[in-house]
Amino acid sequence: MAEEMTFLAVAYLGMLIAIGLWTWTVFSRSNDLEQRIEAVEQSMQTNHSNEE
């Protein structure tokens, strides 16, 4: 019984760590994408103002 509880505890902690890593990855990619979009928008505004 004690071995089963230890196994469940380790599995639960592993699951929490995996969810945490996945969440961090999603937010990291989201921030990277947001920065790229902002750079493209600034580039387009710069090109548009130069054409006028």
Side-chain angles (χ1 to χ4, degrees):
M1 174 105 175
E3 291 178 12
E4 294 173 357
M5 292 298 286
T6 302
F7 175 77
L8 288 175
V10 170
Y12 185 72
L13 288 174
M15 182 182 64
L16 288 176
I17 291 170
I19 290 172
L21 287 172
W22 178 80
T23 303
W24 179 79
T25 302
V26 168
F27 280 111
S28 176
R29 289 181 181 180
S30 174
N31 288 336
D32 184 45
L33 181 60
E34 186 176 338
Q35 290 174 354
R36 289 180 184 199
I37 290 171
E38 288 176 6
V40 169
E41 288 175 348
Q42 289 176 357
S43 175
M44 291 177 70
Q45 288 175 356
T46 302
N47 288 339
H48 183 66
S49 64
N50 287 341
E51 290 176 358
E52 293 177 352

